[in-house]
């Protein structure tokens, strides 16, 4: 798997050996995968408590979330409960790693854009009523670094633990850093991914920006009206091993354009996709599927479709999964890498099942005519198989990831269990 | 250990605005002043008006640390424990009062606001990340900068660590000396082909062990003090789960 990087030392392999995930489509990948494939848009909820005077359709995680253990109650907030739900799904793989690898060699890199800000809202409301913050509120629930601290303390690991927060590219960036920590040799395993939770601040903020659609987001349609918010958690166990699903390429760029709007030319998105291909050592034709950032705002659709058409032409199968789970903001990059991971896991000898692009089918004639996937669509693959996922964030922060599998996959964890 | 070259540094805190004043502070350190912000006249007026105190402080250190040519070409890492949280808290107060939110203010509450504004002001289109790690933010920021050097060894990385005091609403919840400051370090890989001077070498690792008692000034400035005085070959910092250790000069045995 090691590739020559233009005279630079070859990078060791980077395997994503386990995934824990929760979002509006389900409590775990077993529930989520068939609903993704079926294009199930029935699982959005209506909330009237997020933005005053407005009823919002959101991709909410319904059902109970695990409670944090008492020793970690200072971290107790919805955001960390979403992360814990993902962690618990990987418990058996994590236990193997915790037994085999010294605690100081295990790192934690987590993305979030909200942290526990929803719980801080409640604490501040409490203070308005009583002149004191709610007694259970701690700063560790609100500060961005809290989620990484929580994951590290829950696992009782002593390697580096930090939160990357670059708005909607946070989750993708966490995987990029995990790969670097393994390549630098400073960690032998990294828990990496992201969680983000619905809250009044982001709902009110995006509502004030007039970026939220009334119904479900409708990416690439002439009728699109903006994004639909979502929440969830997606965490991976990442190790320096060959085999399985590999993180093969990372491409990053900044826009140098505007704090909350992308460069309409798509130059930043194009640079990130191009760099990810170069980093993976692959030509554009080697990519079998692209998970679009696909927020469903006119600004994103315009620049992303242009950039995709310039990078790949119009034949590459593409879809946005945000019209299925909502835009999970800081978690989206990890969530959508997770969808790509599930897709690669379900690859047969000759076919890769594709997640459908769910929309009203009314193309915007101003956009390049990309190949947007239909329900039940597959693509034939022989040999290696590679897919890409795009994430673009406020502040003009872009990150594209390439994930891939070798032919004749055998999905064994990359270490002796 | 992980080696890097520290090509240049710059820092800003109220009353500490020149290299000479930082050298004097390093010899005779005092707690950093809590409040204050630079004028940041290098920023276009429209952008400057929108900047929070933290943004002005971090961008002042960032611009001072890079030559004009480098500014648009470096990768960047912005590390801050609190970031724009004070602006988020203002918005939370507005939510509690059911007041409408300002879209422009909301855009500036993302943790990468300083990184995004640096990209715009410096016309920099390179990779950039923003992070937080509670009391360990500086050490983790340094490690994230090394992660960027791993991804692209030929391109220097600008690390900017800065904070301002947490808003009164939550300040009593943490134990931290209130300070407004930023430290910028321009770091480069040792294997990028350029000749390496011994006095710019810096090695880094972490170890397990007891936490180290905090100083009355931020960890990033304790690092600067150690670097400027140059009397000790090793610095250990670390308030949480591990000790961050820096060493100089470069020991070839570690490469």
């Amino acid at each position: 798997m090691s590739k020559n990087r233009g005279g630079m030392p070859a990078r060791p392999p980077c395997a994503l050996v386990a995934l824990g995930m929760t979002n509006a489509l389900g409590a775990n990948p077993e529930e989520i995968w068939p609903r993704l494939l079926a294009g199930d848009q029935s699982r959005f909820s209506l909330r009237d408590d997020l933005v005053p005077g407005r009823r919002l359709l959101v991709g909410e995680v319904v059902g109970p979330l695990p409670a944090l253990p008492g020793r970690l109650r200072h971290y107790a907030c919805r955001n960390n409960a979403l992360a814990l739900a993902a962690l618990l799904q990987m418990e058996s793989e994590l236990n193997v790693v915790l037994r085999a690898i010294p605690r100081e060699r295990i790192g934690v890199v987590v993305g979030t854009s909200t942290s526990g800000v929803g719980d801080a809202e409640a604490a501040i409301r409490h203070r308005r009523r009583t002149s004191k913050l709610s007694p259970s509120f701690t700063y560790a629930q609100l500060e961005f670094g809290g989620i990484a601290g929580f994951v590290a303390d829950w696992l009782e690991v002593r390697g580096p633990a930090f939160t990357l927060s670059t708005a909607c590219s946070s989750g993708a960036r966490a995987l990029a850093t995990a790969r670097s920590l393994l390549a630098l040799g400073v960690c032998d395993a990294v828990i990496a991914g992201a969680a983000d939770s619905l809250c009044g601040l982001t709902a009110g903020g995006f509502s004030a920006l007039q970026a939220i659609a009334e119904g479900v987001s409708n990416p690439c349609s002439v009728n699109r009206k903006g994004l639909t918010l979502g929440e969830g958690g997606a965490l991976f166990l990442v190790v320096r091993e060959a085999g399985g699903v590999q993180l093969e390429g990372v491409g990053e760029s900044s826009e140098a354009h505007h704090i909350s709007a992308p460069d309409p030319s798509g130059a930043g998105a194009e640079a990130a996709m191009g760099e990810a291909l170069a980093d993976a050592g692959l030509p554009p034709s080697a990519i079998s599927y692209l998970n679009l950032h696909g927020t469903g705002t006119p600004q994103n659709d315009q620049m992303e479709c242009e950039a995709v058409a310039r990078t790949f032409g119009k034949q590459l199968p593409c879809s946005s999964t945000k019209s299925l789970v909502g835009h999970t903001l800081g978690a989206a990059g990890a969530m959508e890498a997770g969808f790509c991971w599930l897709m690669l896991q379900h690859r047969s000898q000759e076919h890769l099942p594709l997640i459908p692009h769910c929309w009203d089918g009314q193309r915007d004639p101003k956009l390049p005519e990309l190949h947007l996937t239909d329900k039940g669509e597959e693509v034939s693959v022989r040999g290696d198989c590679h897919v890409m996922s795009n994430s673009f964030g406020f502040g003009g922060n872009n990150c594209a990831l390439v994930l891939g599998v070798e032919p004749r996959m055998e999905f064994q964890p990359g270490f002796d269990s | 250990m992980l080696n890097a070259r520290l090509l240049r540094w710059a820092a800003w805190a109220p009353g500490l605005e020149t290299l000479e004043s930082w050298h004097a502070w390093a010899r005779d350190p005092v707690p950093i002043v809590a409040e204050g912000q630079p004028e940041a006249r290098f920023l276009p007026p429209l952008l400057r008006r929108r900047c929070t105190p933290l943004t002005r402080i971090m961008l002042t250190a960032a611009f001072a640390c890079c030559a004009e040519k480098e500014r648009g070409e470096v990768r960047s890492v912005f590390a801050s424990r609190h970031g724009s949280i004070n602006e988020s808290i203002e918005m939370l107060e507005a939510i509690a009062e059911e007041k409408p939110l300002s879209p422009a203010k909301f855009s500036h509450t993302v943790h990468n606001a300083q990184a995004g504004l640096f990209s715009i002001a410096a016309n920099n289109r390179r990779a950039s990340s923003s992070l937080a790690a509670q009391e360990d933010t500086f050490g983790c920021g340094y490690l994230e900068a090394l992660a960027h050097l791993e991804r692209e060894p030929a391109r220097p990385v600008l690390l900017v660590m800065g904070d301002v005091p947490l808003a009164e609403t939550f300040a009593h919840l943490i134990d931290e000396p209130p300070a407004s400051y930023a430290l910028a370090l321009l770091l480069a890989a040792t294997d990028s082909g350029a000749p390496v001077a011994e006095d710019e070498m810096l090695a880094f690792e972490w170890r397990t062990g007891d936490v180290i008692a905090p100083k009355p000034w931020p960890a990033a400035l304790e690092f600067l003090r150690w670097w400027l005085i140059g009397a000790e070959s090793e610095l250990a910092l670390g308030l949480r789960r591990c000790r961050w250790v820096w060493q100089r000069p470069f020991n070839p045995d570690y490469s």
Side-chain angles (χ1 to χ4, degrees):
Chain A
M1 289 302 291
S2 298
K3 295 199 170 70
N4 186 321
R5 300 193 289 145
M8 287 187 275
R11 184 181 280 129
C14 174
L16 308 174
V17 291
L19 168 69
M21 175 187 277
T22 182
N23 58 38
L25 280 184
N28 53 55
E30 292 70 37
E31 287 183 17
I32 292 166
W33 173 247
R35 290 171 183 157
L36 270 179
L37 214 52
D40 182 353
Q41 288 185 296
S42 71
R43 304 187 71 82
F44 289 98
S45 320
L46 277 168
R47 291 270 299 263
D48 54 16
D49 59 331
L50 289 168
V51 181
R54 197 167 174 196
R55 183 177 259 213
L56 285 185
L57 195 68
V58 293
E60 182 183 12
V61 172
V62 290
L65 290 172
L68 271 62
R71 71 182 169 93
L72 298 175
R73 78 168 70 82
H74 53 290
Y75 284 119
C77 62
R78 181 169 183 80
N79 212 54
N80 289 339
L82 290 166
L84 180 56
L87 279 172
L88 287 168
Q89 295 168 34
M90 297 192 287
E91 217 168 7
S92 58
E93 292 92 342
L94 289 171
N95 282 335
V96 173
V97 162
L98 290 169
R99 276 196 300 273
I101 297 176
R103 302 283 163 139
E104 68 274 16
R105 302 280 303 166
I106 303 174
V108 173
V109 188
V110 191
T112 191
S113 76
T114 57
S115 196
V117 72
D119 298 72
E121 282 166 31
I124 285 179
R125 281 205 188 91
H126 188 273
R127 194 180 69 151
R128 284 181 63 78
R129 288 194 305 270
T130 65
S131 83
K132 278 194 172 142
L133 293 169
S134 31
S136 62
F137 181 75
T138 68
Y139 187 58
Q141 297 161 12
L142 173 63
E143 66 181 316
F144 285 106
I147 186 169
F150 160 67
V151 172
D153 287 351
W154 186 80
L155 290 163
E156 297 179 355
V157 298
R158 295 173 67 84
F162 55 99
T163 300
L164 290 175
S165 187
T166 52
C168 307
S169 60
S170 307
R173 198 160 276 298
L175 292 171
T177 287
R179 185 183 66 158
S180 288
L181 296 184
L182 295 169
L184 285 168
V186 296
C187 291
D188 295 326
V190 181
I191 288 77
D196 235 33
S197 40
L198 287 164
C199 58
L201 179 61
T202 46
F206 279 104
S207 185
L209 282 164
Q210 303 188 312
I212 299 184
E214 286 302 320
V216 180
S217 65
N218 197 0
C220 304
S221 163
V222 70
N223 303 314
R224 68 189 170 300
K225 295 275 166 32
L227 54 84
T228 304
L229 289 171
E231 66 177 355
L235 291 169
F236 291 91
L237 172 60
V238 191
V239 296
R240 197 189 305 105
E241 300 284 350
V245 176
Q246 293 279 315
L247 176 56
E248 299 180 320
V250 173
E252 306 161 88
S253 70
S254 299
E255 298 257 314
H257 181 70
H258 188 273
I259 194 79
S260 62
D263 175 353
S265 76
E270 188 180 2
M273 288 188 279
E275 189 184 300
L277 288 170
D279 188 53
L282 296 170
S285 59
I287 300 296
S288 294
Y289 163 82
L290 172 66
N291 187 291
L292 297 166
H293 186 55
T295 56
T297 62
Q299 297 87 340
N300 179 85
D301 282 5
Q302 181 69 41
M303 73 88 189
E304 187 175 22
C305 290
E306 298 279 357
V308 170
R310 286 200 297 271
T311 306
F312 292 102
K314 297 177 187 172
Q315 303 304 312
L316 175 67
C318 304
S319 67
S320 166
T321 41
K322 291 189 172 71
S323 51
L324 291 166
V325 297
H327 188 350
T328 59
L329 304 178
M335 193 68 76
E336 292 162 21
F339 297 159
C340 290
W341 189 90
L342 287 169
M343 192 179 259
L344 292 168
Q345 291 277 28
H346 287 88
R347 177 210 159 151
S348 67
Q349 283 283 5
E350 293 184 341
H351 292 99
L352 180 72
L354 299 177
I355 301 172
H357 184 80
C358 293
W359 62 319
D360 65 3
Q362 306 287 308
R363 278 184 189 279
D364 180 344
K366 292 200 281 296
L367 301 179
E369 212 171 299
L370 300 183
H371 173 168
L372 299 169
T373 53
D374 284 323
K375 279 180 196 166
E377 199 174 326
E378 295 183 324
V379 64
S380 37
V381 285
R382 286 181 213 288
D384 299 353
C385 177
H386 315 275
V387 301
M388 185 183 281
S389 177
N390 276 346
S391 299
F392 311 129
F394 266 20
N397 196 293
N398 305 320
C399 189
L401 302 177
V402 176
L403 274 62
V405 287
E406 302 266 279
R408 309 184 61 77
M409 314 179 304
E410 292 294 330
F411 279 104
Q412 300 156 335
F415 41 82
D416 295 327
S417 42
Chain B
M1 294 191 88
L2 301 169
N3 291 314
R5 300 163 61 204
L6 174 46
L7 301 182
R8 210 174 297 127
W9 64 272
W12 192 94
L16 293 166
E17 306 194 14
T18 62
L19 296 187
E20 296 70 38
S21 62
W22 281 106
H23 278 280
W25 178 85
R27 286 190 300 272
D28 189 12
V30 290
I32 301 299
V33 174
E35 308 282 348
Q37 56 177 307
E39 283 194 60
R41 291 227 157 264
F42 56 89
L43 292 172
L46 204 66
L47 198 64
R48 193 165 67 225
R49 263 207 304 282
R50 287 266 165 91
C51 283
T52 62
L54 179 65
T55 302
R56 287 185 181 207
I57 293 168
M58 290 180 90
L59 264 54
T60 295
F63 271 64
C65 195
C66 296
E68 195 172 342
K69 258 193 195 154
E70 291 165 333
R71 209 174 283 150
E73 290 301 320
V74 292
R75 284 174 173 247
S76 60
V77 173
F78 283 76
S80 177
R81 178 178 183 183
H82 309 302
S84 305
I85 208 92
N86 290 346
E87 288 70 34
S88 292
I89 293 168
E90 268 177 42
M91 301 197 80
L92 295 179
E93 306 272 8
I95 288 171
E97 293 164 28
E98 303 217 341
K99 285 186 186 156
L101 300 185
S102 146
K105 265 195 188 161
F106 171 66
S107 313
H108 285 73
T109 61
V110 292
H111 195 63
N112 60 315
Q114 291 74 34
L117 292 165
F118 172 76
S119 157
I120 293 167
N123 196 26
N124 181 308
R125 293 180 161 76
R126 303 300 170 184
S128 173
S129 53
S130 299
L131 73 127
Q134 300 175 294
E135 293 91 336
D136 278 342
T137 301
F138 176 62
C140 289
Y142 191 89
L143 185 58
E144 173 71 2
L146 297 180
H148 278 274
L149 290 178
E150 186 278 328
R151 301 221 263 288
E152 195 182 6
R155 190 177 298 281
V157 178
L158 177 67
L159 167 64
V160 189
M161 166 83 209
D163 263 311
V164 297
L166 187 58
E168 207 190 330
T169 319
F170 295 139
H172 64 283
L173 297 174
I174 58 165
D175 179 21
E176 184 184 81
S180 291
Y181 77 97
L183 171 69
L185 304 176
L186 187 62
L187 297 161
T190 52
D191 52 1
S192 61
V196 175
E198 194 181 276
D199 63 358
E200 61 186 26
M201 294 310 306
L202 190 54
F204 176 71
E205 69 175 2
W206 68 89
R207 298 175 191 154
T208 52
D210 297 334
V211 297
I212 291 162
K215 295 280 190 296
W217 41 82
L221 299 183
E222 181 61 11
F223 169 88
L224 178 63
R225 198 173 150 241
W226 167 76
W227 180 259
L228 292 182
I229 291 180
E232 307 283 335
S233 64
E234 186 172 296
L235 170 74
L237 297 172
L239 294 173
R240 288 179 69 83
R241 55 189 64 76
C242 50
R243 286 186 199 182
W244 307 99
V245 180
W246 285 266
Q247 283 182 357
R248 65 189 293 199
F250 178 55
N251 182 340
D253 296 342
Y254 290 132
S255 58

